[in-house]
């Protein structure tokens, strides 16, 4: 995606000043892709703390509707900062070519990966991402067993809890629920 250049105009999220500029991050490999964005793994230079960096190309944001959608996403993430099961927005950055959402990094991968893997044992997405097969090998739940009935109940409960919180407490309706949009943290419980 070519995330070079300096980003300025840092936005402060509910989590405070996680970073104030793109130069404070080491950018890693691509971990996701959408129609108008790319998601990279990043690490804060000062302490190595990881984040996910959603990179939105400004040239892909055409029209008022698209700009409004991005603004609404940012507002929803800020409102839901402490909501259970919702990824945290740590900050925002922008430069002339791109908008950046600095997000909490969940290294367990997408739920779809776990569903497709079934009951197979092997490396977790975290182990593959880190290049270290031992990372997270002790984690239980989805990462150790794939999707069985017990894990499916946990996932369903976690998703219902998150959706309930968003709707009842924040009056937000999430309309893009699918296995690729459910991220699993290292403990295996979304």
């Amino acid at each position: 995606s070519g995330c070079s250049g300096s980003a300025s105009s840092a936005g402060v999220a509910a989590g405070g000043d996680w970073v104030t500029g793109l130069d404070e991050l080491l950018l890693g490999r691509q971990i996701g892709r959408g129609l108008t964005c790319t998601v990279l793994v990043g690490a804060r230079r000062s302490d190595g703390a990881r984040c996910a960096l959603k990179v939105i190309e400004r040239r892909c944001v055409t029209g008022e509707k698209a700009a409004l959608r991005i603004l609404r996403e940012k507002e929803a993430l800020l409102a839901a900062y402490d909501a259970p099961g919702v990824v945290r927005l740590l900050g925002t950055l922008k430069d002339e070519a791109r908008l950046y959402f600095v997000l909490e990094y969940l290294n367990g991968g997408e739920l779809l990966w776990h569903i497709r893997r079934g009951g197979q044992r092997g490396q977790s997405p975290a182990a593959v991402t880190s290049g270290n097969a031992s990372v997270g090998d002790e984690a239980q739940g989805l990462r150790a067993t794939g999707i069985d009935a017990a894990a499916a109940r946990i996932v369903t409960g976690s998703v219902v809890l998150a959706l309930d919180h968003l709707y009842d407490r924040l009056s937000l309706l999430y309309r893009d629920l699918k296995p690729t949009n459910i991220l699993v943290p290292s403990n295996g419980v979304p």
Side-chain angles (χ1 to χ4, degrees):
S1 76
C3 293
S4 60
S6 67
S8 59
S9 303
V12 178
D17 284 325
W18 204 80
V19 292
T20 58
L22 195 59
D23 58 334
E24 296 177 39
L25 294 172
L26 293 170
L27 302 181
R29 69 180 186 85
Q30 179 178 313
I31 56 174
R33 184 160 189 76
L35 291 174
T36 61
C37 68
T38 302
V39 181
L40 307 172
V41 65
R44 193 165 43 193
R45 290 181 190 270
S46 63
D47 62 4
R50 288 178 151 191
C51 68
L53 189 68
K54 181 175 183 175
V55 182
I56 304 164
E57 299 288 336
R58 286 182 186 245
R59 63 181 165 72
C60 295
V61 182
T62 56
E64 190 175 322
K65 261 184 154 175
L68 188 58
R69 180 185 53 78
I70 293 168
L71 181 60
R72 283 187 183 146
E73 179 182 0
K74 176 184 173 183
E75 290 172 348
L77 286 168
L78 286 171
Y81 183 81
D82 288 323
V86 178
V87 69
R88 287 176 175 79
L89 177 65
L90 303 173
T92 58
L93 303 167
K94 63 183 179 178
D95 61 23
E96 288 184 21
R98 297 171 194 91
L99 304 171
Y100 305 90
F101 284 12
V102 182
L103 301 162
E104 173 184 20
Y105 177 64
L106 301 176
N107 65 353
E110 297 173 350
L111 179 61
L112 182 62
W113 183 88
H114 295 280
I115 291 171
R116 286 186 173 158
R117 192 180 79 159
Q120 300 172 24
R121 295 195 179 268
Q123 286 187 331
S124 67
V128 173
T129 299
S130 70
N132 180 354
S134 66
V135 173
D137 286 348
E138 72 284 353
Q140 296 182 359
L142 294 176
R143 298 196 40 207
T145 62
I147 299 293
D148 58 18
R153 283 191 292 274
I154 292 169
V155 170
T156 302
S158 297
V159 169
V160 168
L161 181 65
L163 292 174
D164 182 62
H165 185 94
L166 291 174
Y167 185 73
D168 284 348
R169 297 191 185 170
L170 302 173
S171 299
L172 295 173
L173 182 61
Y174 184 70
R175 302 182 325 162
D176 199 20
L177 185 61
K178 56 189 175 187
T180 55
N181 287 346
I182 298 173
L183 301 175
V184 180
S186 60
N187 70 359
V189 180

